[in-house]
Amino acid sequence: MRTTVLFFSLIFLIQACTTGNAFNQNGHEETLIPTSYSGTKAKQLTPNTSIKYRIYLDNSYSMNGYFKDGSNFLSTVNKLITHLSNISDDENSICDLNYINNGINYFGNTKNIDIGKYLGSINDFYSNDQKGNRKVTDLKDVLKSVIDSIQQNTVNVIITDGIPSPGLNGQESGTYLDILQNCIYKGVYSKLSKLEFITQIIKCKSGFSGIYINQLNKGIKLEGNERPYYIFIMGEEIASKKVAEFIRKHIESSNFQSSVLFNNSHNITVKSKILLGTGYEIVGNASAMKIHKKNEGTNEVKLRILADYKTISQNDEYLLNFDNYEVTPVDAKITIYKITNIDDPLNKGFTHKILLTIPNLYQNEQVKICLKNIQPEWIKETNTTQDINLSDSEIKQKTFGFQYIVNGFIDGYRERKLIDNYFTLIIKNQ
Amino acid sequence: MNIFDSIIRFSYSRDLLEHLKGLSLNGEACTSQSVYQMVTLIVLGFSIASILNYYFGLFNRPLFSRIFSWLFNVVVVPFIVGITSYSLAVSGVPSGAHCSYLHFFKTDCLLFGLTAFAYTTVLCIVLSTTFKLFSVNNKKVPF
Amino acid sequence: MKNLFIFGIGGTGSRVVKALTMMLASGMELRDVENVVPIIIDPDIANGDLTRTVDILNLYREIRRKGLSEKSSFFKTNICALSDLGNTDKDNPTGEFIFEIEGVKDNRFRDFISFQELDKSNKAFSSILFSDENLNTQMEVGFKGNPNIGSVVLNKFSKTALFQNFASCFNKDDRIFIISSIFGGTGAAGFPLILKNIRSADAQVPRSQFLREAQIGAITVLPYFSVDKNDRTSIDSNSFVSKAKAALNYYSRNVSGNNSLQALYYIGDSAINGQLGSDGAAEQKNRAHFVELAAALSIQDFCSYEDDELSIKDGKVHKPKFLEFGLHEEAGKIKFTDLGKRTRNLIAKPLTQYLLFKNYFQYHFDEYHEDAWAKNGHNKLQTIYLDKTWHKRIAEFNYHFEDWLTEMSNSNVSFNPFIYRNHGDDILNIVVNSPEKKKFLSVNGIEYFRKILNKSEPDFDILPDSNQKLLALFSSVTEQIINSKISL
């Protein structure tokens, strides 16, 4: 009898502790807001372990400045090629090595060519291994060819200084940039209509001692300077991201500058949750969040929002940059944190945390948070349309016509999808 | 990961929960002192100590071999734990003592104290069912 | 292993048998004795001392039958009636402990010897030996301190069925012990007669050879109490000493003088120990006395001798032993410390153990029925799990045990080693001048008792039933308590 009484007492105690009891202040905490976007769906690449990697290394004369013993460029490229060579070491996988200058010149693959020979031959002007015209880099044709060559389960990696040197004079070069952008756009657009692929552009910098070829096709000698260079990664999403991660991980942080990612994902679903503490309550259903601040006094509202950005293909640099968010009213401020403790059940299923502060949110006013899909600012900052008279600081940062290249990609991707905002959240004080 | 993450709790605010887990003042991550860990240790420590004391220590006497002594033990100790938990939680209520994005009040702390009380009680009962088997004088208490 | 036949003659015989029973219940052992067979010889079967002793013997037998186990020291020695020795149904012994003398019931002595039918000369001779008062004595209440009557009546002993039964049960290794008082009627007359009948058993008596060579011990109790003269008795205690002297004179020639006993114990007390006088029957219920306890110890002493120390040839003992009991210190109130070392070692621990058990059983058994030791295991020890009759018998026996101790403490000389009824926090303060040993932070008194019970109980759960477990548990626990808490 006594045992039975104790047993039921225990059950009662456990019941009393459940969140669904009379003490529960319902709806305080979890309010999920899914936001999804859909577009035209193209053929998706199949993630496969047998990925074909193609490395395109710019070997025009302007690249010679990077190829100095001990340079960051050489170290990074060496690591990257070695890594790709290792991960493509099985029967079905392969890593092709190419030079790019006035065209694409196949050098061999890592199964039968020594990587050292591939890298070493760049400095050797008279090497028989050199192919093509090194005085000319027609990025327009090269990029288009590389984009055209994207297939299922391929990852194309282009390593270049990004300077188009088509061998034209200064007057023609301005027109050339428009043609370059258009050419890339067409290539991307055309390829995206056939299959999905992502493009990541990583901007790095390295020591540079050599000849810089400007828009007038004139060489300028630079000694002990720094120059940016770029790694374009295009192809199957998962494998491409892994390559990008490897570069981010192994490049010295001081030499990594920025990156941008283009993706035509068709199913972006951002899940979000407003964490409401005591003193707030949710009003109505969750189609547009309506909150009510119960306590009188100050109108300041401070909220925490959890968001799941997993389906957004932007990197953290983009997602954590509040410039990429649009917040209204203007006095509202947000801080974004990446959730590091993924094991914490409180944050389970979410990748980022947004702290929102609105100094005055009166009744019936609303606040809007929007994660925009925009061109990163660093692209504009990197671009220059004249490189005849560059200052020292501009030499370190700028690349002639870089924005045209990026815009070509943006245009190509934009045509395939209509996403302006990855995520929008409206909270109304009622 | 904390024991309080895994158990059902009285519905005190989740904000208090995050504060107790040690959410930093800027709200970024749980890097401050975790009251949860402290309370977990207190709950475990007090429960085990009190039950050990009851079944093998100073209370292991025929004088206390009755259900009322046991009940007293499993009420007083959880009560102390509850009060301690409440005190630890309520010390974070003043603004400036917790991240400004968290919103909780003394009632939340009280519910947390009750949660600690309830789980200490449950733990005491559960421990009792095992420890009693090895006790000399109290092997038949509470049943 | 052997039987020990104890002939308890008269009121003193009964009381000594009672004292022995109490000590055997508390755990005293008789070396190499398998069965103790008390045979109480008293013409006065309604005698209060006798009925009480028989009650106690029956209780002992019943408690032991249902409660004894190898792990218990209480009630360890078997006590059975003579008729139970040949009884195959050992689980249900019903034999009587009393030897009923034929022809004494509703008879005056005159009728017993057919005085009226005697011729004139024999009548005249009888009148010389027996006074008119003797001749008119109503024998169903005994011989009222007249050995001359007893010697005539008890002379028929060898012809009785009981004697024949006894003889047929007697084995070579068995021993006989005879308890009698020297100053009364029944004992003084009966002792030499029984001894003579055994030693001179003729060939018609079964196993007469064994009887003639039997190892026989005896104790003759010298006067140790007086009888208050009143209207209800014809016994005059002033004659006790003169009667004792006359009997001793007789013994010197016919008992001790002819080497017919292996060991003869003498015990007595000069102190005046007044008992309310009574001619017998239910009114003869004298207070227990330390002398009886000491007399019972003579039985233990007799059993402690090896066979070769008690050698006999052709009915004559080689080296008879004559022994007396002494105290270490003379005292009006005898405590354990006043006893000789050997006596103390022999009785202090068992008596204290049993008293502890009795007190717990009496005062706390029901109070602490929720304790772990009572509720734990297969055989629980709460009242409802014990055999109801057996439980009642234990209570009755304990009542007699307390009576026995109390009476001894109220007698003169007083045997007063205990504070009998201490319980609760003082339950371990029961031995005079030996308070409970207390330790810092340790539980004491009844708490300690319960703690040791709780601690020891699991060791006894293997016993087949609750009754056995109870006795064994308390036997062990009381011993542990004495070892750790009481200096004896």
Side-chain angles (χ1 to χ4, degrees):
Chain A
M1 181 60 189
R2 193 169 296 147
T3 313
T4 314
V5 170
L6 273 166
F7 175 74
F8 282 113
S9 306
L10 190 64
I11 295 294
F12 172 77
L13 200 57
I14 291 168
Q15 281 290 321
C17 296
T18 58
T19 49
N21 64 27
F23 293 103
N24 194 2
Q25 299 163 31
N26 237 341
H28 253 203
E29 301 179 354
E30 300 199 1
T31 311
L32 291 173
I33 310 153
T35 315
S36 61
Y37 300 94
S38 296
T40 312
K41 189 158 187 175
K43 191 176 179 182
Q44 252 181 325
L45 290 173
T46 317
N48 196 309
T49 48
S50 299
I51 296 289
K52 186 169 187 178
Y53 297 95
R54 298 197 191 104
I55 295 171
Y56 300 91
L57 182 62
D58 188 347
N59 71 338
S60 59
Y61 284 133
S62 59
M63 290 295 289
N64 276 11
Y66 299 102
F67 280 79
K68 300 294 176 192
D69 285 345
S71 76
N72 297 320
F73 174 85
L74 209 53
S75 160
T76 303
V77 171
N78 204 342
K79 282 179 194 169
L80 176 62
I81 296 173
T82 309
H83 171 68
L84 296 180
S85 167
N86 290 338
I87 63 174
S88 60
D89 205 20
D90 63 76
E91 249 179 50
N92 302 318
S93 189
I94 197 158
C95 180
D96 286 339
L97 303 173
N98 302 276
Y99 291 125
I100 51 173
N101 38 62
N102 66 326
I104 295 171
N105 301 296
Y106 177 69
F107 189 80
N109 66 59
T110 52
K111 287 183 178 164
N112 50 34
I113 295 293
D114 180 26
I115 297 167
K117 191 178 172 189
Y118 175 61
L119 295 174
S121 65
I122 293 172
N123 281 334
D124 187 355
F125 184 80
Y126 301 104
S127 168
N128 291 330
D129 295 326
Q130 301 284 348
K131 289 178 183 174
N133 182 359
R134 295 189 65 202
K135 292 178 182 173
V136 176
T137 310
D138 192 349
L139 266 181
K140 167 174 67 68
D141 293 337
V142 167
L143 282 173
K144 186 162 186 310
S145 300
V146 172
I147 291 165
D148 282 346
S149 73
I150 295 171
Q151 294 170 343
Q152 269 194 320
N153 300 346
T154 63
V155 174
N156 294 351
V157 180
I158 304 169
I159 304 160
T160 176
D161 58 2
I163 301 170
S165 308
L168 305 171
N169 62 36
Q171 288 168 334
E172 290 172 323
S173 61
T175 317
Y176 174 80
L177 291 177
D178 291 331
I179 297 167
L180 169 66
Q181 179 177 335
N182 196 37
C183 189
I184 294 170
Y185 153 68
K186 282 181 178 170
V188 171
Y189 179 79
S190 165
K191 183 54 82 177
L192 280 173
S193 65
K194 294 169 190 159
L195 54 81
E196 288 181 14
F197 69 97
I198 66 162
T199 301
Q200 260 194 102
I201 304 170
I202 297 170
K203 181 185 180 186
C204 311
K205 67 174 182 179
S206 174
F208 186 91
S209 294
I211 305 295
Y212 172 76
I213 309 292
N214 69 12
Q215 66 185 107
L216 299 176
N217 213 18
K218 197 174 175 183
I220 302 165
K221 192 170 184 183
L222 299 174
E223 283 296 335
N225 221 317
E226 281 185 338
R227 284 288 300 153
Y229 67 93
Y230 305 89
I231 303 172
F232 291 71
I233 305 160
M234 295 176 281
E236 193 272 328
E237 182 174 354
I238 296 169
S240 298
K241 282 183 173 174
K242 281 184 180 170
V243 173
E245 272 171 32
F246 177 83
I247 295 167
R248 287 294 306 269
K249 199 171 169 183
H250 289 88
I251 194 167
E252 286 175 28
S253 59
S254 59
N255 294 320
F256 173 82
Q257 293 203 292
S258 302
S259 73
V260 64
L261 185 145
F262 305 106
N263 190 356
N264 65 331
S265 297
H266 296 277
N267 288 309
I268 296 174
T269 304
V270 176
K271 185 175 68 175
S272 66
K273 178 162 91 171
I274 300 176
L275 304 177
L276 293 173
T278 308
Y280 289 87
E281 64 184 3
I282 293 287
V283 181
N285 60 32
S287 58
M289 293 309 305
K290 291 173 186 171
I291 61 160
H292 174 64
K293 190 179 177 188
K294 288 193 283 189
N295 58 329
E296 301 290 328
T298 172
N299 289 313
E300 185 184 51
V301 170
K302 286 191 158 191
L303 295 173
R304 289 172 303 140
I305 298 145
L306 296 179
D308 177 18
Y309 289 159
K310 272 199 291 288
T311 53
I312 299 176
S313 288
Q314 291 294 355
N315 52 36
D316 280 335
E317 190 188 355
Y318 185 92
L319 298 172
L320 295 176
N321 186 352
F322 61 81
D323 289 337
N324 297 328
Y325 290 80
E326 181 187 326
V327 184
T328 55
V330 286
D331 58 349
K333 296 275 181 285
I334 61 166
T335 314
I336 307 108
Y337 293 114
K338 185 175 185 183
I339 292 169
T340 48
N341 185 7
I342 53 169
D343 294 331
D344 191 337
L346 292 178
N347 303 322
K348 197 170 182 183
F350 296 95
T351 57
H352 290 75
K353 180 171 18 177
I354 301 166
L355 304 183
L356 170 68
T357 306
I358 312 137
N360 287 296
L361 186 68
Y362 298 102
Q363 202 164 6
N364 293 323
E365 278 191 336
Q366 66 179 36
V367 60
K368 180 181 171 187
I369 302 167
C370 184
L371 173 60
K372 297 175 292 181
N373 183 12
I374 54 172
Q375 187 186 102
E377 204 60 30
W378 68 268
I379 294 168
K380 282 182 198 163
E381 289 165 2
T382 300
N383 184 59
T384 179
T385 50
Q386 72 80 26
D387 62 349
I388 299 164
N389 295 311
L390 290 177
S391 65
D392 281 352
S393 64
E394 284 176 329
I395 287 170
K396 286 177 182 169
Q397 283 291 330
K398 304 279 187 183
T399 298
F400 177 72
F402 181 71
Q403 192 171 5
Y404 290 84
I405 299 172
V406 175
N407 282 346
F409 281 98
I410 289 172
D411 292 345
Y413 277 93
R414 196 181 291 276
E415 282 297 310
R416 303 300 315 168
K417 57 182 180 173
L418 301 168
I419 297 173
D420 290 323
N421 300 319
Y422 289 118
F423 155 66
T424 304
L425 176 66
I426 297 167
I427 303 165
K428 189 171 182 182
N429 184 13
Q430 214 171 40
Chain B
M1 193 65 183
N2 193 286
I3 191 170
F4 279 88
D5 289 331
S6 322
I7 58 176
I8 302 161
R9 59 192 161 86
F10 280 123
S11 60
Y12 54 86
S13 143
R14 176 191 159 125
D15 284 21
L16 172 62
L17 190 151
E18 290 215 54
H19 168 68
L20 297 175
K21 288 181 80 170
L23 188 69
S24 57
L25 289 177
N26 66 5
E28 184 179 359
C30 294
T31 51
S32 304
Q33 169 98 38
S34 170
V35 175
Y36 260 170
Q37 271 182 351
M38 220 184 304
V39 171
T40 303
L41 287 175
I42 290 171
V43 168
L44 288 173
F46 272 62
S47 306
I48 292 170
S50 75
I51 296 302
L52 279 176
N53 180 49
Y54 182 75
Y55 286 105
F56 307 107
L58 294 175
F59 281 19
N60 183 20
R61 296 171 174 224
L63 180 65
F64 301 109
S65 298
R66 47 184 98 159
I67 195 147
F68 295 109
S69 304
W70 177 82
L71 271 178
F72 181 77
N73 209 48
V74 297
V75 168
V76 168
V77 170
F79 184 75
I80 293 168
V81 171
I83 292 286
T84 311
S85 306
Y86 171 76
S87 309
L88 288 169
V90 90
S91 66
V93 169
S95 60
H98 64 270
C99 169
S100 59
Y101 291 90
L102 300 176
H103 310 288
F104 56 89
F105 300 107
K106 284 185 181 177
T107 45
D108 295 301
C109 302
L110 194 63
L111 287 168
F112 172 63
L114 276 173
T115 305
F117 171 85
Y119 278 99
T120 313
T121 308
V122 170
L123 192 58
C124 283
I125 292 168
V126 171
L127 289 174
S128 294
T129 57
T130 310
F131 284 19
K132 78 184 192 81
L133 302 174
F134 307 100
S135 174
V136 170
N137 294 306
N138 298 333
K139 71 177 68 162
K140 288 291 166 185
V141 185
F143 49 81
Chain C
M1 301 300 280
K2 52 200 170 188
N3 301 319
L4 174 66
F5 296 90
I6 299 174
F7 290 94
I9 309 170
T12 304
S14 292
R15 290 197 294 276
V16 173
V17 168
K18 180 176 75 176
L20 178 71
T21 309
M22 292 301 180
M23 287 192 290
L24 292 179
S26 62
M28 188 183 81
E29 289 186 60
L30 301 177
R31 193 185 70 86
D32 218 13
V33 171
E34 187 180 5
N35 300 306
V36 172
V37 189
I39 302 164
I40 298 170
I41 299 171
D42 198 330
D44 181 7
I45 56 170
N47 175 350
D49 284 331
L50 177 98
T51 52
R52 190 155 63 159
T53 300
V54 169
D55 275 352
I56 290 167
L57 286 168
N58 283 326
L59 288 171
Y60 183 103
R61 189 165 58 178
E62 194 170 346
I63 291 167
R64 184 181 185 280
R65 183 167 61 85
K66 290 182 179 172
L68 183 78
S69 66
E70 284 183 0
K71 293 193 169 202
S72 170
S73 64
F74 295 154
F75 301 92
K76 195 164 188 177
T77 306
N78 186 35
I79 297 179
C80 63
L82 180 61
S83 55
D84 292 334
L85 280 178
N87 188 356
T88 50
D89 184 11
K90 289 194 174 176
D91 288 339
N92 191 24
T94 52
E96 295 287 341
F97 294 102
I98 308 167
F99 166 50
E100 205 169 330
I101 305 164
E102 292 171 14
V104 297
K105 198 173 183 184
D106 298 330
N107 259 356
R108 290 179 301 169
F109 182 61
R110 173 189 294 276
D111 303 325
F112 185 82
I113 58 173
S114 306
F115 185 77
Q116 292 303 330
E117 294 165 23
L118 296 174
D119 57 25
K120 195 173 179 180
S121 56
N122 277 329
K123 269 186 183 171
F125 183 65
S126 296
S127 301
I128 295 167
L129 295 173
F130 304 106
S131 64
D132 282 347
E133 194 180 348
N134 288 160
L135 290 169
N136 292 324
T137 296
Q138 199 69 35
M139 290 189 300
E140 68 177 359
V141 292
F143 308 134
K144 296 182 191 173
N146 298 303
N148 51 347
I149 302 174
S151 61
V152 172
V153 175
L154 295 172
N155 206 24
K156 289 177 73 179
F157 178 65
S158 63
K159 309 293 179 202
T160 61
L162 176 124
F163 185 75
Q164 297 296 318
N165 192 12
F166 156 70
S168 61
C169 291
F170 193 84
N171 293 313
K172 190 184 174 189
D173 292 335
D174 294 347
R175 290 186 184 184
I176 299 165
F177 199 87
I178 304 166
I179 307 160
S180 62
S181 66
I182 203 167
F183 54 95
T186 314
F191 167 43
L193 277 172
I194 289 170
L195 181 63
K196 188 191 83 177
N197 281 322
I198 292 169
R199 284 288 184 231
S200 59
D202 57 32
Q204 290 175 333
V205 176
R207 305 191 181 196
S208 56
Q209 183 59 33
F210 292 161
L211 288 175
R212 284 197 293 272
E213 302 288 313
Q215 292 167 343
I216 305 175
I219 184 160
T220 183
V221 182
L222 300 169
Y224 65 98
F225 66 83
S226 61
V227 174
D228 301 334
K229 191 73 182 166
N230 58 39
D231 296 341
R232 290 179 297 174
T233 183
S234 58
I235 298 170
D236 180 4
S237 57
N238 292 325
S239 65
F240 281 178
V241 173
S242 54
K243 283 179 181 173
K245 280 171 73 177
L248 284 171
N249 188 33
Y250 176 78
Y251 287 2
S252 68
R253 282 177 277 113
N254 300 302
V255 177
S256 54
N258 63 2
N259 288 9
S260 56
L261 275 173
Q262 270 84 347
L264 180 58
Y265 296 82
Y266 294 100
I267 192 164
D269 186 29
S270 57
I272 295 166
N273 181 49
Q275 302 273 21
L276 189 62
S278 164
D279 272 356
E283 290 180 8
Q284 192 185 336
K285 201 172 181 180
N286 296 338
R287 285 198 301 269
H289 193 279
F290 176 69
V291 162
E292 292 148 12
L293 185 150
L297 290 176
S298 66
I299 300 170
Q300 195 280 336
D301 185 73
F302 176 65
C303 293
S304 70
Y305 289 109
E306 298 287 347
D307 286 347
D308 53 10
E309 291 179 272
L310 306 172
S311 60
I312 184 169
K313 195 173 183 185
D314 299 329
K316 296 291 176 192
V317 177
H318 186 226
K319 281 183 183 174
K321 300 177 192 306
F322 302 99
L323 301 123
E324 283 186 304
F325 178 84
L327 290 169
H328 175 63
E329 290 283 346
E330 279 287 344
K333 289 186 174 181
I334 299 168
K335 302 178 289 296
F336 283 139
T337 47
D338 299 321
L339 299 174
K341 195 173 177 183
R342 188 167 162 227
T343 311
R344 192 166 155 184
N345 289 343
L346 200 62
I347 66 169
K349 194 170 179 181
L351 288 180
T352 311
Q353 269 185 261
Y354 198 84
L355 185 62
L356 282 171
F357 165 59
K358 193 248 2 160
N359 283 349
Y360 191 97
F361 198 81
Q362 182 175 345
Y363 298 110
H364 301 296
F365 192 74
D366 289 330
E367 182 185 0
Y368 297 124
H369 68 283
E370 290 290 327
D371 277 4
W373 66 268
K375 290 166 71 181
N376 194 45
H378 298 101
N379 297 311
K380 299 181 175 30
L381 297 179
Q382 291 162 310
T383 309
I384 52 166
Y385 294 98
L386 296 172
D387 182 305
K388 276 183 188 169
T389 315
W390 187 82
H391 182 257
K392 196 177 164 193
R393 295 287 175 266
I394 287 267
E396 287 172 14
F397 189 90
N398 287 349
Y399 171 79
H400 285 299
F401 185 78
E402 185 181 321
D403 257 8
W404 176 63
L405 289 176
T406 312
E407 285 175 13
M408 285 199 292
S409 76
N410 292 334
S411 294
N412 191 8
V413 169
S414 162
F415 180 57
N416 200 28
F418 295 121
I419 308 163
Y420 301 98
R421 293 188 183 87
N422 271 1
H423 59 279
D425 289 341
D426 284 327
I427 195 168
L428 305 185
N429 285 321
I430 55 167
V431 178
V432 174
N433 292 343
S434 181
E436 178 189 357
K437 288 187 270 187
K438 294 185 177 175
K439 290 175 190 166
F440 181 64
L441 283 181
S442 167
V443 290
N444 301 305
I446 187 65
E447 292 299 304
Y448 184 77
F449 206 134
R450 292 163 67 195
K451 178 184 166 185
I452 302 298
L453 280 167
N454 286 335
K455 196 174 170 184
S456 305
E457 177 275 332
D459 298 339
F460 297 93
D461 202 36
I462 52 166
L463 292 171
D465 64 47
S466 298
N467 303 342
Q468 292 187 18
K469 184 177 168 184
L470 183 85
L471 274 192
L473 175 64
F474 274 90
S475 161
S476 165
V477 164
T478 50
E479 185 177 10
Q480 290 178 57
I481 289 172
I482 289 168
N483 290 342
S484 58
K485 287 283 195 179
I486 302 170
S487 299
L488 292 175

